[in-house]
Amino acid sequence: MAKEDNRFSSAHEGDREPLFATRRRTGGLIAFRFFAASVFGCICCIWFYRVVEPLEKDENRTGFFRLIWLVMLILEIWFGLYWLVVQSLRWNPVWRSTFTDRLSRRYGNDLPRLDVFVCTADPVIEPPLMVVNTVLSVMALDYPPEKLAVYLSDDGGSQLTFYALAEAAEFAKTWVTFCKRFDVEPRSPGAYFSSKSNVLDSEVAELYREMAARIETATKLRRVPEEARLKCREGFSQWDSDATQRNHATILQILIDGRKENTIAIPTLVYLSREKRPEHHHHYKAGSMNALLRVSSKITCGRIILNLDCDMYANNSKSALEALCILLDEKEGKEIAFVQFPQFYDNLTRNDLYGSMMRVIAHVEFNGLDGNGGPLYIGTGCFHRRDVICGRKYGEEEEEEDEIVEAEKIKSLASCTYEKGSEWGKEMGVKYGCPVEDVITGLAIQCRGWKSAYLTPKKEAFLGVAPTNLHQMLVQQKRWSEGDFQILLSEYSPVWYAQGKISFGLILGYCCYCLWAPSSVPVLLYSLLTSLCLFKGIPLFPKVWSWWFIPFGYVAIAVNTYSLAEFLWCGGTLRGWWNEQRMWLYRRTSSFLFGFTDTILKKLGVSESAFVITAKVAEEEAAERYEKEVMEFGVESPMFLLLGTLGMLNLFCFAAAVMRLMMTTSREAGGDLTMGLQFVITGLLVVLNWPLYQGMLLRKDKGKMPVMVTVKSVVLALSACTFIVFL
């Protein structure tokens, strides 16, 4: 590999024309900084108000009231400081654009080898047809086929997945040629044929439909056809008769060997299911990635690695060339370890019902991270330098790789015991011990002196499958927030691990996401105190006609107006912004809270983290409701119980306050009007929760909230209100 690296770094030494450009924000920067300074100034005024107001003499202010006031001060200090940390992501954003035409002129087909890693783990949750569509899309990338290899890691050890890949290998001989000949987009056959009413070649479409029908039939019957077993006897013979998903030997099969001379140029295609034994920890996706790193180094040994989730197909055939424009740039590319593309989805509703895309993070915050040294590694849609992910520090020379050997001799590299006593999972490969192993791996790479780059081409590079029901989304967010919080408390915490190794702005960026889980507690307490004190008639904010109301009103209006403008600038809709506000509320009061408590329990040795695979398919009726943007509940969950209880509590408190206001005289009502901001906050919470109330009280379909969850939520909320009455 060292010889290859030298060749690529010196072959075009005279060509100094950059392969990419970096643009920093100029327009609006002064206005943004004025906005941020004014908001923070008002936040400081709010803090000052919380400190001086209790000092005024008032016989009605009991010790309990002063305790509530102190809690509000602590919460608002947290919100202010956390808001300041988040704004650090907007101070120095950059946008990168690539020149693939210059890359083609400079290198032609003389590009480095590219190995693509696709990971799957369960043929039920991740259907084989979806997996092979992803594989076929990357096999058809605009890249020299003899330099491209695709590896599928099947942690489920499923014969159905292997059968589907064998079918895809046959179809690839037609599909790859078809894509290159007609320059079709997207290059996932499933996405292409479903989006085109008049396809270019009906024969290719028919071949795909036949292949898809065979795969879906086998998946439905949970059985591989006998003729397929005979056709690929060498591959299927590797499964022992007693093999299970958690107990089987290494299975390795090169289905297409693109290294050999072929009449039709097709990329190499390899199936790998690493050894699994119950007595050995397999480290989930991180272990799968490390096994792929070792196995691929002995087959094709691509200098560049792209890793993808099995549901994330290549939507832009030039994505590899765009990434190489950054990695192969003679001036700045040498210091960049990986190029991260955003995680976008092809099944979003018009208004993004569950806020899955996180537009502002994808279009604003990650560009801000890029301006501070590079974005986080998010585990999919990322192009790596192989030697860097394997542990090379910036400035060190690359080491020679071992001689390539036959595939049958390398199964031991994917065995359960290979990593014992080695640095794999520690100093080499993807890190172990965290639900978001990709984030700490990226952090460790940056702390070794490397930078990363964020690329958002006009045509999305990769498209995945977003959660189609609320529970899927909340479970996914719980895992992410829990993993990020574990990083904050681990040896890889950016607070101490990254000090002096990366920029202060990038440390703040990592802390911003690591604090997702702890932020749940202040949000929960603040919403509860606001609603319950409104119910009890305890004012927590200044009177509307008081000068002290100005900073509260300014912060509320300015921050939300800026948030809406930013969301619309990122291509969202007004209703989409409203949906995202609801989802942030639900994440912070359920997913992040459970992630926070689970992390604390794990640190105390009470529980262990579990890796949960998010389902990629939905039932037909649920899919129809999703398309109509009707929120899906349908299952009993502790998260739904918490959301239901909080929602009903907000509703009861708001209703009680309104009734009290209507039943009092105008003079008595003046006391309630002093709580105007509490009315507004609680009222907004009620409006945000309208889909929740529909699911609990109004809907009759299968996607409604389970009756037991509704009953328990109402009882708990009424109990809380009763307790407050007698407090």
Side-chain angles (χ1 to χ4, degrees), residues 361-413:
I361 292 178
H363 289 288
V364 177
E365 294 186 2
F366 264 50
N367 292 103
L369 287 171
D370 201 0
N372 290 326
L376 285 63
Y377 166 39
I378 62 174
T380 184
C382 189
F383 288 83
H384 288 273
R385 296 183 189 273
R386 175 187 288 272
D387 58 315
V388 174
I389 200 172
C390 288
R392 182 165 76 93
K393 296 180 180 179
Y394 178 67
E396 290 183 348
E397 292 294 329
E398 287 187 79
E399 296 181 1
E400 292 277 0
E401 286 289 335
D402 296 336
E403 182 181 353
I404 296 177
V405 297
E406 292 299 323
E408 283 299 322
K409 297 180 181 179
I410 61 176
K411 285 187 177 182
S412 62
L413 299 177

Side-chain angles (χ1 to χ4, degrees), residues 395-464:
E396 290 183 348
E397 292 294 329
E398 287 187 79
E399 296 181 1
E400 292 277 0
E401 286 289 335
D402 296 336
E403 182 181 353
I404 296 177
V405 297
E406 292 299 323
E408 283 299 322
K409 297 180 181 179
I410 61 176
K411 285 187 177 182
S412 62
L413 299 177
S415 68
C416 293
T417 57
Y418 182 84
E419 294 179 351
K420 187 176 181 180
S422 73
E423 292 299 312
W424 283 99
K426 301 172 185 175
E427 298 300 322
M428 296 178 66
V430 181
K431 304 289 184 183
Y432 293 155
C434 180
V436 285
E437 64 284 330
D438 34 36
V439 177
I440 56 172
T441 300
L443 175 61
I445 289 172
Q446 290 167 331
C447 288
R448 293 201 298 266
W450 294 94
K451 293 182 179 180
S452 57
Y454 188 60
L455 202 52
T456 54
K458 292 181 179 179
K459 183 176 178 60
E460 295 93 342
F462 305 100
L463 292 177

Side-chain angles (χ1 to χ4, degrees), residues 218-369:
T219 303
K220 185 177 180 179
L221 298 175
R222 306 296 296 274
R223 186 176 66 250
V224 176
E226 194 59 37
E227 58 270 22
R229 292 181 180 277
L230 296 174
K231 189 175 180 180
C232 194
R233 186 177 302 172
E234 181 184 355
F236 284 105
S237 65
Q238 298 183 60
W239 270 270
D240 298 328
S241 58
D242 58 346
T244 65
Q245 182 175 349
R246 299 179 180 275
N247 189 12
H248 62 82
T250 299
I251 302 164
L252 176 66
Q253 185 68 30
I254 302 178
L255 293 165
I256 300 176
D257 195 342
R259 301 170 298 174
K260 298 178 180 179
E261 294 294 331
N262 294 309
T263 54
I264 302 176
I266 302 292
T268 296
L269 179 62
V270 180
Y271 173 91
L272 172 67
S273 184
R274 60 195 171 113
E275 184 184 17
K276 290 278 194 71
R277 301 300 179 195
E279 63 271 20
H280 294 282
H281 198 310
H282 56 83
H283 301 291
Y284 309 109
K285 183 181 175 182
S288 172
M289 283 284 293
N290 286 339
L292 283 171
L293 281 168
R294 296 191 296 271
V295 168
S296 64
S297 70
K298 306 303 180 184
I299 300 176
T300 51
C301 196
R303 178 184 163 210
I304 307 297
I305 292 170
L306 162 65
N307 74 285
L308 291 173
D309 287 344
C310 64
D311 64 320
M312 184 158 277
Y313 67 83
N315 184 62
N316 182 349
S317 63
K318 296 188 181 298
S319 56
L321 299 179
E322 296 197 23
L324 287 183
C325 283
I326 293 179
L327 295 172
L328 296 184
D329 184 78
E330 285 80 3
K331 184 178 180 181
E332 298 182 49
K334 295 179 181 179
E335 61 182 5
I336 294 175
F338 60 87
V339 178
Q340 179 66 64
F341 285 87
Q343 189 169 4
F344 291 147
Y345 305 98
D346 72 344
N347 66 328
L348 295 179
T349 59
R350 171 175 168 74
N351 299 299
D352 194 4
L353 179 61
Y354 299 118
S356 301
M357 187 172 172
M358 297 187 175
R359 287 181 183 274
V360 173
I361 292 178
H363 289 288
V364 177
E365 294 186 2
F366 264 50
N367 292 103
L369 287 171

Side-chain angles (χ1 to χ4, degrees), residues 4 54 83 91 129 176 179 190 198 213 220 240 269 294 350 418 432 439 518 536 588:
E4 183 185 18
W83 180 86
W91 283 82
L129 182 60
V176 172
C179 290
N198 296 314
K220 185 177 180 179
D240 298 328
L269 179 62
R294 296 191 296 271
R350 171 175 168 74
Y418 182 84
Y432 293 155
V439 177
K536 187 71 173 175
R588 287 176 174 136

Side-chain angles (χ1 to χ4, degrees), residues 78 435 474 477-486 488-489 513-525 587-604 607 609 639 642:
W78 167 273
L474 294 178
Q477 294 289 325
K478 174 186 175 293
R479 182 172 69 86
W480 290 352
S481 63
E482 180 181 356
D484 288 338
F485 187 39
Q486 286 183 20
L488 188 65
L489 302 179
Y513 301 112
C514 290
L515 290 172
W516 272 3
S519 71
S520 62
V521 177
V523 171
L524 180 64
L525 289 176
R587 290 178 188 121
R588 287 176 174 136
T589 54
S590 61
S591 301
F592 295 175
L593 182 64
F594 277 85
F596 175 76
T597 54
D598 281 2
T599 300
I600 298 299
L601 291 175
K602 180 184 177 184
K603 286 294 179 182
L604 296 175
S607 68
S609 297
M639 293 188 190
L642 180 56

